[in-house]
Amino acid sequence: MRQIWETPGGIHPEQNKHQSTGEQIGTIAMPPEIILPMGQHIGAPATPIVEVGQTVLKGECVAKPEGFFSAAIHASTSGTISAIEERTITHPSGMRALCVIIKPDGKDTWAPLNPCDDYTQLSKDEILERIRNAGIVGMGGAGFPTAIKANPKSNRKITTLILNGTECEPYITADDMLMRERADEILLGAQLFCHLLTDVNEILIGIEDNKPEAIAAMQAAANALNDERIHVVSFPTKYPSGGEKQLIQILTGKEIPSGGLPAQLGIVVQNIGTAVACHRAIVHGEPLISRVTTVVGQTLEKQRNINVLMGTPIGFVLQEHGFVSDYKQRIIVGGPMMGFAADNQNVPIIKTTNCILAPSTKELPLPAPAQPCIRCGMCEQACPASLLPQQLYWFSRSEDVEKLEEHNLFDCIECGACSYVCPSNIPLVQYYRASKGTIKLQREEKAKSDHARLRFEQRQERIVKAEAEKEAKREARKQAALEAKKLMAEKAAQPANGETENTTNAVDKTASKVVDPVTQKAKLTRALTSAQSRLERANAQLQTNIDEDNGSRKDALQSKIKQAELKVNDAQNKLDAFNKEHDISSSEPGTPQAKNSSAPSNDKGKDATSPALKKMAMSDAEKQAAAVASIEKRLGVATQKYKEAQEANTPTADALKLGVEKLEQKLSDAKAVLAQQANDVSANTTQPVSKNEADAALGAIERAQAKAKAKAAMTDDEKKQDQIASLKKRIDKAKTRLNKAKDENDDNIAAFENAYNKLQDKLTQIS
Amino acid sequence: MQFLKVTSPHTSKQGQAGNVMLSVIYATIPGIIALTYFFGVGVLINLILASLFGLGFEALILYMRQRDITFYLKDYSALVTAFLLGLALPAYTPWWLIAVGMFFSIVIAKQLYGGLGFNPFNPAMIGYVVLLISFPLEMSSWITPAPLNGGELPSLSAALGKVFLGHELIMEGALLDGYTSATPLELMRQNDGQLVNQLYSDNPLFSQALFAGVGWEWVNIAFLAGGIYLMYKRVFTWHAPISMLAALGILAAVFYDGGSSSSLGSPLFHWLTGATMFGAFFIITDPVSSAVSNRGRIVFGALIGVLIFVIRSFSNYPDGVAFAVLLLNFAAPFIDYYTKPRTYGHKSKSKSKG
Ligand code: SF4
Ligand code: SF4
C-alpha cells in the first residue's frame, strides 16, 4: 500500500451514490434539438465556421478555437444547422451566449474520421494538435483545454500523472461507472498522457474507498497492462478530497503553492473522463461529442448514468427519465456541494456537465433562514484549506477588503464545506463569492486608475517641460533684441560698415519674431487640410462602426466629428480672413521692417547674418576665439577706414577714431576673457559678448538663443531638411509608441494612430 | 419551465444554532444534579430565576430592536447565558441580585454590543463580575455542603424566604456557626503554618472528601462529564479546555512545594475545586468571545489557566475564573492575529501587509 497523507478539515455528507449505480451506462433517444454553446471551456469562446442551413455530419467541426486558450466544438449528430444565436447557456450566472443549434436528421451519420492505431508513430505536436482539434477539455471541473495541460512549459519536468477518480461529491457516479466499465480505455488514455509528458515515472489513480467495484476494475486493468508505473490508490471517503489541491495533498503530501499550478510540483492531474476522451480522440479519431453524465434525484423515475450527446437539452434528459416536477423545483448541474442551479430546461449538456440532479424538496430541503453566527468554529474545523471561514464571513459582511486578503480569501476553493456544517445556516460561500467579485473589480479599477494617473503625471511633466522651453525661447528673443540694440549702437559708430550689420539685426529680429505672410498662409492652409482629413477619417470610422453596430463608440465618434467640423470651419475662416487682410500681394517676401532697412534682399541679409550667427552656435571657447578674430577683423577694417578718412580729411574721422579705440579696447577685453577661458575649464558659463551675462543660470538661455539663431541663420532648404529630419524622428517615435500600444492592446491606440497620421501628413506637406 | 435559482451548496447538515445551545444546556445537567445534592434547592431557584430574567430581558430588547422575537429566542443563547450565570452564583442568592446580574449579562454585555455573535466578552462572566465587585458579601456566601451538615439542607420555604424576603436561612438542627462556611479554596489560601497534610486531616471539608473538598470535588467531576459529552458531540474542540487544565495543573505542580505550609495546593486540588471544570468546559468554550483558530484556542486556554492560578492564589477573590476569562476575552483579537492557521499552499502563516 502506498502512503497517503491526511488533509485538514473535510466533511462527510450523505453519499447518495447507490441510486445511480444500479444500472449500466445507458443511452437516450435523439433529442429534437442540439444546442452547442461556443463557450464550454475556460478561455475564449470558439468561432462558428458553419452557416445556417448547412448540413453537418456527426463529428464535424462546427466551431474552431479562438486563440490558444480555447477549444473546438463538433456536431454531436448529423443534421442541419437551424440557427446560430444567443441562448441561455449552462453557466452559474444563467447568461446568454452564442450557440450553434442543430436539427438532427435522425440518421446520426458519422463524418470520416482519422483513426490512428499506433500514436507513437506520430510526433508529439501532431498528437497535441489532434487532441486540440478534438475539442477536448477537462471534463470534471472548469473545462481547461487538455492540449495545454498535456504540454507544460519545457522547463517543468512532469514526473507524476494523477488520474482523479475521487468523485467526492454526493450523488455523482459518472467517473465511478466509467471506471467500472471502461477501465482499460482510462489506462490507455493515461499512457497516452505519459507519452506526451515524457518524464512521468508514476501514474497515481486516486479513488475514494466508497467505490470498491471501481477500485477492483481499475486494479484488474492495471494488472492486465503490466505497467508498473500505474498505482491504484484508495483513501478514506471525505469531501472534498476530489479537489485538485486536496487530491495532490492526499497522494503526495505536497501542497500547490498559493496561486501556483500543480506543474510546479511536477504533477499533472487529469480527470477520468478526459483520459477516455483523449484515448478515443487519438486512437479512434473521435472528437469530444458525448460524455457520461449522472442523472439522479427523487423526482425522477429512473436514476442512472447515461452516455449523452453534447448539446442535449437538460429538459429532454429529464423527460426521458420520467421527471415529475416538485414544488419549488431545483435542477442542479453538478453535485449538491458545488453544482449550480440551471435556469430552465433548455440549457444543454456541455463538456463539463457530470451530473444532473433533480432532487425533490424533501430530499434536499431548501436552505433554512440564516441565524446569527455564533462563532462556534465548526466551519473552521471543516475547511480543507485551513482558512477561518467565520472570520472571512465577518470581514465579508463589513467589506473589510484588507482583512479578507490577509485571511487569504482567494485560497478558498468554494467547496461549501463550511456552509454545510454551519449550525446557523449561513450561506458562507455566497458571501465569499460576492467578496471575491468585489475585490477583483476593485483591483481592475485600481489598475486602470493607476494607469490614468501615470498618464496624467507624464502629461504634467510634458507641459512643464514645454513651458520651460517656451520661457527659454522668450529669453532668447529678449537677448537677441538686446544684442541687436547694442550692435546698432556700435554701428552708429561705424556708419560705413553699418549697412550689413543693420540687416543682420533686422533679419535676426524678424526671423525670430515675425512670420512672413507666405509661411503663415501655408500654415493656415495646412491646418485646414489637416482638419479636413481628420474629419474624413472620423467619418470613415463612424461608417465602419455603424456597420458593426457599435453604439457607445458611435456616439463618441459623432462628437469627434462635430469637433473636427468646427475645427475645419475655424481653419477656413482664419485662412479667409488672412487672405483678405494680405490680399494676394502678401506673397511678397520680407517684413515691413526688412523693407524699411536699406537691404531688402533676404539672401543678402542672410549671407551677412550667417557668420555672426554661426558664432552663437559655437562652443564658448570657440566663440570667444571667433569673437576675438572678428573684433580683430573689424578693428582692421575700422583702422583702415579711419586712415582713409584721415587722409581724405572727412569730418567723420574723429568718430571713426573713437570707434577704433573702442574696438581696440574690446579686443583686449575679449583676449583677456579668452585667456581666462583657456585656464578655466568650467568657463563655458562665461559669456564672451557681454560680461554681465556670466551667470551660470543664463547658460541655458544662451544655448537656446544660439539654437534659435542658428535656425534663423539656416537657409530655407536647410530649415526644411532640419524640419524633415526632426519630423522623421518624431514619426519613428510615434510609430514605436503605436506598435507598443497595439501589442498591449491599449485603449489609446486610436489616439496614437491619429498622432502618427498627423505627423505623416505634415511630412508629406513639407517635403 | 423556469427552475428555482439558488447557489451552492444545496445541502447542509441538519442542525441549527439552537441545537448547539441546547446541547450545552443538556450538558449542564450532571453539574446541576451535583450542586443540588450538596447545596440544596437554592441551585434550582437560581436557575429558574436567571432563566426568567434572561429570557425576559432578551425578549424586551428584541422587541425594542424590532426583531422577530420567537426566531431569535429559539437560538437559546439567552437561556444558556442564564444557566451559566445561575450556576456560577452561590445558591440562595437574593432575587434582585440575579436580576441585576442578568441585566448586565443580556442587556449590557450582549445586546448593546449588537446581539449574539457580536459580544466581545462572555455575557455570563460580565454579569458575574459586576455582582462580585458590587456585592462581594452576597457573592461569597456558600452554604456548608450537606454532608458536613448532617445531611441537612434548607427547606423550600426557607429557601424562598431567603431569596425573596431576605430572611436568614434557618435550618433545622443547624449545628454550625451560621449557615455558610469557607470553600476549600479559601481554606487553602488562608492556610499558614500548616502542612497540606495537616490541613487535610484537621478540616472536615477535606478530611471527609476523596480528593479536594467535600461536595466541590463531585460538582467538578459532574461538570467534567458534561464537558466530555460536549466534546464528543463536537460542540467545541478539546483545545481550549485541555490547555487550560494543563496550564493550571503544571503551575499547581510547580508551586506545590512538596505539601509544605506555603504550598498552594496540588494539581488535583486545583482541578477539582471552585469553578475549574465549569469554567474549562462551559465558560471558556463560549465560542463568541474566545479565540478562533485551534492554535489560538490553545493559547487562549493556557493563559486563562495561568491567570486562574494566579488570582486564586494571590488575590482576595474567591475564585479567578471570571476575571481570567474576561481578561483573555479582551486579548482574544491579539491572539487571533498571531495564531492564524497556515492556509493551504502558503509557506508560513500569512503576515499582514506592511
Ligand atoms: S459554522 Fe456558522 S455559526 Fe459557526 S462559526 Fe462558522 S459561520 Fe459562525
Ligand atoms: S468554501 Fe472556502 S472557506 Fe468554506 S470550507 Fe471551502 S475552502 Fe474553506
Side-chain angles (χ1 to χ4, degrees):
Chain A
M1 266 276 302
R2 274 182 68 91
Q3 187 193 353
I4 51 168
W5 278 261
E6 264 290 315
T7 52
I11 53 172
H12 298 92
E14 201 61 47
Q15 290 295 312
N16 283 312
K17 302 253 189 193
H18 57 276
Q19 297 97 316
S20 53
T21 49
E23 263 181 57
Q24 298 226 312
I25 298 174
T27 49
I28 55 169
M30 180 66 65
E33 191 177 57
I34 292 281
I35 305 161
L36 297 171
M38 294 295 98
Q40 305 188 11
H41 44 261
I42 276 193
T47 316
I49 52 168
V50 289
E51 276 161 24
V52 177
Q54 184 181 335
T55 55
V56 287
L57 293 176
K58 180 174 185 160
E60 196 176 323
C61 185
V62 296
K64 65 173 190 352
E66 189 58 59
F68 187 60
F69 266 93
S70 189
I73 314 261
H74 301 80
S76 43
T77 186
S78 58
T80 320
I81 307 287
S82 60
I84 299 175
E85 62 186 19
E86 292 214 332
R87 294 276 185 103
T88 306
I89 62 166
T90 322
H91 190 270
S93 69
M95 64 179 180
R96 295 171 71 81
L98 196 63
C99 298
V100 168
I101 320 292
I102 299 174
K103 184 142 187 49
D105 58 12
K107 297 193 201 110
D108 213 20
T109 326
W110 273 99
L113 299 177
N114 183 16
C116 169
D117 289 333
D118 182 6
Y119 58 75
T120 51
Q121 300 298 312
L122 300 174
S123 75
K124 276 181 194 154
D125 287 341
E126 174 66 25
I127 301 177
L128 285 170
E129 194 55 30
R130 287 191 186 196
I131 291 178
R132 186 170 149 82
N133 287 338
I136 297 175
V137 302
M139 289 164 76
F144 191 89
T146 303
I148 299 175
K149 223 183 200 182
N151 186 24
K153 286 195 193 121
S154 51
N155 57 356
R156 299 218 171 111
K157 209 167 130 178
I158 303 299
T159 54
T160 304
L161 171 71
I162 294 178
L163 282 196
N164 188 349
T166 319
E167 210 160 45
C168 57
E169 274 249 20
Y171 286 101
I172 310 180
T173 55
D175 288 346
D176 186 0
M177 294 309 288
L178 256 183
M179 288 192 282
R180 291 189 202 187
E181 295 184 13
R182 301 202 205 154
D184 46 348
E185 285 190 5
I186 296 168
L187 293 182
L188 291 175
Q191 284 180 326
L192 171 67
F193 286 133
C194 293
H195 176 68
L196 288 172
L197 297 167
T198 329
D199 302 308
V200 173
N201 53 33
E202 54 178 4
I203 304 172
L204 306 178
I205 297 157
I207 311 173
E208 278 189 342
D209 61 6
N210 61 351
K211 305 177 195 48
E213 293 93 339
I215 296 170
M218 292 301 285
Q219 194 60 62
N223 294 344
L225 269 183
N226 204 10
D227 182 340
E228 59 199 32
R229 292 174 302 179
I230 300 177
H231 304 273
V232 179
V233 190
S234 77
F235 44 86
T237 304
K238 175 165 94 173
Y239 178 86
S241 299
E244 191 172 75
K245 292 176 171 184
Q246 280 65 41
L247 182 60
I248 288 175
Q249 196 176 13
I250 292 171
L251 293 180
T252 69
K254 297 180 197 163
E255 292 180 18
I256 311 172
S258 177
L261 289 172
Q264 281 167 262
L265 304 175
I267 298 172
V268 160
V269 182
Q270 292 286 6
N271 174 271
I272 294 288
T274 316
V276 175
C278 278
H279 168 73
R280 296 197 73 84
I282 298 302
V283 177
H284 303 286
E286 282 174 22
L288 183 55
I289 53 164
S290 69
R291 68 157 297 143
V292 176
T293 297
T294 307
V295 186
V296 68
Q298 280 180 2
T299 59
L300 302 174
E301 240 164 53
K302 199 174 201 170
Q303 305 181 40
R304 58 170 177 171
N305 279 280
I306 52 168
N307 193 7
V308 61
L309 296 179
M310 300 293 175
T312 307
I314 283 175
F316 183 76
V317 176
L318 293 175
Q319 189 191 314
E320 289 283 302
H321 290 80
F323 170 63
V324 183
S325 176
D326 196 0
Y327 156 76
K328 284 202 175 168
Q329 182 65 51
R330 279 174 294 174
I331 300 297
I332 298 160
V333 178
M337 295 303 298
M338 292 181 79
F340 57 90
D343 281 79
N344 55 45
Q345 79 271 40
N346 292 325
V347 301
I349 302 269
I350 59 170
K351 292 174 184 174
T352 52
T353 312
N354 52 5
C355 179
I356 300 171
L357 173 56
S360 65
T361 319
K362 208 174 112 226
E363 189 177 11
L364 287 187
L366 287 170
Q371 283 172 299
C373 169
I374 53 171
R375 293 198 186 243
C376 62
M378 290 186 183
C379 45
E380 173 200 332
Q381 305 302 327
C383 180
S386 299
L387 295 165
L388 294 172
Q390 73 272 49
Q391 300 292 81
L392 289 175
Y393 162 67
W394 289 93
F395 299 139
S396 281
R397 283 190 53 161
S398 57
E399 298 188 350
D400 190 338
V401 171
E402 208 170 287
K403 276 270 168 40
L404 281 170
E405 299 210 31
E406 197 182 301
H407 282 76
N408 304 323
L409 172 65
F410 281 89
D411 288 297
C412 165
I413 58 170
E414 298 182 19
C415 66
C418 49
S419 303
Y420 177 82
V421 296
C422 177
S424 289
N425 304 307
I426 302 171
L428 295 163
V429 183
Q430 216 166 303
Y431 280 96
Y432 307 151
R433 283 201 196 105
S435 291
K436 280 184 187 175
T438 326
I439 292 177
K440 273 189 200 141
L441 210 72
Q442 275 182 8
R443 280 186 190 164
E444 273 164 29
E445 265 162 26
K446 187 167 175 296
K448 245 190 227 161
S449 75
D450 278 354
H451 187 193
R453 199 185 54 231
L454 194 73
R455 270 203 333 244
F456 176 75
E457 281 169 0
Q458 281 169 348
R459 186 164 161 269
Q460 283 309 89
E461 232 167 75
R462 275 202 306 277
I463 290 174
V464 169
K465 226 161 135 193
E467 281 296 323
E469 267 166 27
K470 257 191 220 158
E471 186 60 34
K473 270 186 198 151
R474 245 197 312 275
E475 277 298 318
R477 277 203 293 275
K478 218 159 99 195
Q479 286 300 324
L482 271 177
E483 229 168 90
K485 244 190 215 154
K486 219 194 272 156
L487 279 173
M488 206 105 88
E490 270 168 31
K491 238 174 305 137
Q494 312 157 22
N497 207 17
E499 205 178 71
T500 38
E501 293 270 350
N502 200 1
T503 318
T504 312
N505 283 319
V507 171
D508 250 22
K509 233 189 221 161
T510 54
S512 57
K513 225 177 217 162
V514 185
V515 189
D516 68 305
V518 176
T519 18
Q520 207 169 340
K521 186 178 172 191
K523 205 165 151 196
L524 284 174
T525 327
R526 245 186 347 250
L528 179 61
T529 44
S530 106
Q532 273 165 342
S533 74
R534 207 174 313 156
L535 178 60
E536 263 164 41
R537 257 203 314 281
N539 264 326
Q541 254 172 3
L542 177 62
Q543 205 51 51
T544 55
N545 272 293
I546 287 175
D547 294 345
E548 284 167 19
D549 200 21
N550 191 339
S552 61
R553 184 102 174 83
K554 211 159 70 190
D555 289 345
L557 276 172
Q558 256 158 359
S559 71
K560 216 175 180 178
I561 287 176
K562 258 202 201 112
Q563 266 179 350
E565 271 170 357
L566 279 179
K567 263 200 187 131
V568 171
N569 282 343
D570 199 38
Q572 187 71 53
N573 286 345
K574 264 192 197 154
L575 185 62
D576 287 349
F578 183 82
N579 277 341
K580 225 183 262 160
E581 197 185 307
H582 289 263
D583 250 335
I584 300 302
S585 68
S586 58
S587 60
E588 197 194 333
T591 64
Q593 242 176 313
K595 268 188 216 157
N596 288 348
S597 82
S598 49
S601 152
N602 228 355
D603 280 347
K604 196 178 163 199
K606 272 213 181 101
D607 281 344
T609 315
S610 31
L613 287 175
K614 258 183 209 147
K615 140 185 118 179
M616 303 306 295
M618 287 184 250
S619 86
D620 284 339
E622 279 171 347
K623 244 188 252 170
Q624 194 61 41
V628 171
S630 109
I631 295 172
E632 261 169 353
K633 209 156 109 200
R634 269 160 67 192
L635 184 60
V637 174
T639 323
Q640 176 77 27
K641 272 195 182 146
Y642 170 51
K643 273 189 186 135
E644 278 170 16
Q646 237 180 359
E647 271 164 27
N649 215 352
T650 48
T652 52
D654 279 343
L656 281 173
K657 192 179 167 206
L658 205 72
V660 170
E661 270 163 22
K662 236 193 203 159
L663 276 173
E664 267 167 356
Q665 172 68 32
K666 214 174 181 178
L667 181 62
S668 64
D669 278 356
K671 272 185 178 157
V673 171
L674 182 61
Q676 192 197 333
Q677 256 179 3
N679 293 337
D680 187 355
V681 186
S682 64
N684 38 357
T685 50
T686 321
Q687 295 309 312
V689 180
S690 76
K691 271 166 280 166
N692 37 358
E693 273 178 18
D695 191 342
L698 290 175
I701 296 169
E702 177 65 28
R703 272 192 296 280
Q705 174 187 1
K707 212 166 157 191
K709 282 194 178 169
K711 217 178 199 167
M714 278 191 257
T715 64
D716 271 350
D717 252 331
E718 275 171 355
K719 236 191 248 175
K720 219 181 194 170
Q721 287 303 332
D722 193 53
Q723 234 168 339
I724 290 174
S726 104
L727 260 179
K728 274 188 180 152
K729 227 189 266 162
R730 272 166 71 192
I731 287 177
D732 277 346
K733 236 188 239 161
K735 201 166 175 185
T736 49
R737 214 166 38 190
L738 176 62
N739 285 341
K740 203 170 142 212
K742 269 184 187 158
D743 285 347
E744 291 170 4
N745 211 353
D746 193 313
D747 27 4
N748 294 319
I749 290 181
F752 285 142
E753 207 156 34
N754 207 356
Y756 177 64
N757 288 340
K758 240 194 250 170
L759 285 171
Q760 284 284 21
D761 283 356
K762 222 176 187 174
L763 184 63
T764 41
Q765 268 165 15
I766 290 177
S767 49
Chain B
M1 185 196 306
Q2 207 65 31
F3 297 128
L4 191 70
K5 201 70 179 154
V6 281
T7 59
S8 68
H10 304 279
T11 175
S12 75
K13 197 172 175 176
Q14 293 312 305
Q16 294 192 325
N19 296 358
V20 175
M21 297 291 179
L22 276 183
S23 335
V24 175
I25 289 177
Y26 296 149
T28 57
I29 290 175
I32 294 172
I33 292 172
L35 277 172
T36 313
Y37 178 79
F38 290 107
F39 300 101
V41 70
V43 175
L44 300 177
I45 297 175
N46 271 3
L47 286 177
I48 291 167
L49 284 181
S51 301
L52 289 178
F53 285 124
L55 292 176
F57 284 131
E58 177 102 336
L60 185 72
I61 296 285
L62 286 173
Y63 173 75
M64 278 163 40
R65 293 177 68 193
Q66 300 183 335
R67 298 293 165 91
D68 180 346
I69 295 177
T70 42
F71 179 75
Y72 282 97
L73 280 188
K74 270 208 218 130
D75 66 27
Y76 297 115
S77 61
L79 203 60
V80 168
T81 305
F83 264 60
L84 298 185
L85 184 63
L87 289 172
L89 296 175
Y92 312 100
T93 303
W95 66 271
W96 50 269
L97 211 74
I98 298 177
V100 172
M102 284 318 293
F103 176 81
F104 274 94
S105 291
I106 298 289
V107 179
I108 307 285
K110 182 172 147 196
Q111 292 292 356
L112 281 195
Y113 277 103
L116 181 57
F118 291 88
N119 47 302
F121 298 103
N122 186 320
M125 288 302 102
I126 289 275
Y128 184 85
V129 163
V130 166
L131 295 181
L132 186 62
I133 292 173
S134 320
F135 311 99
L137 193 66
E138 283 84 349
M139 289 298 286
S140 46
S141 320
W142 280 95
I143 71 162
T144 314
L148 297 185
N149 212 7
E152 287 289 335
L153 283 169
S155 67
L156 182 62
S157 59
L160 291 175
K162 165 79 172 72
V163 171
F164 289 101
L165 305 170
H167 293 161
E168 284 290 306
L169 256 191
I170 316 235
M171 284 184 280
E172 281 171 50
L175 305 169
L176 297 168
D177 45 343
Y179 61 92
T180 63
S181 65
T183 62
L185 275 172
E186 284 164 333
L187 281 182
M188 183 63 74
R189 185 172 42 227
Q190 286 153 9
N191 168 45
D192 40 20
Q194 272 186 306
L195 294 177
V196 171
N197 276 342
Q198 253 175 318
L199 183 72
Y200 268 47
S201 57
D202 282 7
N203 205 305
L205 191 61
F206 290 120
S207 61
Q208 292 183 27
L210 282 175
F211 316 108
V214 174
W216 293 102
E217 55 191 18
W218 287 109
V219 169
N220 272 288
I221 289 169
F223 280 122
L224 172 64
I228 289 172
Y229 163 75
L230 288 179
M231 282 205 288
Y232 167 74
K233 290 277 282 180
R234 291 175 194 268
V235 167
F236 48 74
T237 60
W238 57 268
H239 303 82
I242 300 302
S243 75
M244 173 195 133
L245 294 178
L248 183 63
I250 289 168
L251 276 185
V254 167
F255 287 93
Y256 183 59
D257 201 15
S260 74
S261 59
S262 58
S263 169
L264 299 172
S266 67
L268 198 58
F269 168 80
H270 278 281
W271 281 332
L272 296 181
T273 44
T276 304
M277 291 300 169
F278 178 63
F281 292 99
F282 292 87
I283 300 297
I284 76 166
T285 51
D286 166 42
V288 178
S289 51
S290 86
V292 289
S293 66
N294 288 344
R295 282 202 307 156
R297 281 190 278 264
I298 289 181
V299 176
F300 180 79
L303 290 177
I304 289 181
V306 171
L307 276 180
I308 288 177
F309 184 80
V310 169
I311 296 173
R312 267 183 186 177
S313 309
F314 306 111
S315 83
N316 280 321
Y317 286 106
D319 200 347
V321 175
F323 287 109
V325 167
L326 289 184
L327 269 171
L328 264 295
N329 284 167
F330 187 71
F334 303 101
I335 297 176
D336 290 344
Y337 182 84
Y338 289 106
T339 54
K340 243 181 284 157
R342 187 186 67 84
T343 306
Y344 180 101
H346 287 256
K347 284 232 156 52
S348 58
K349 71 185 165 103
S350 58
K351 284 268 187 312
S352 60
K353 277 173 270 147

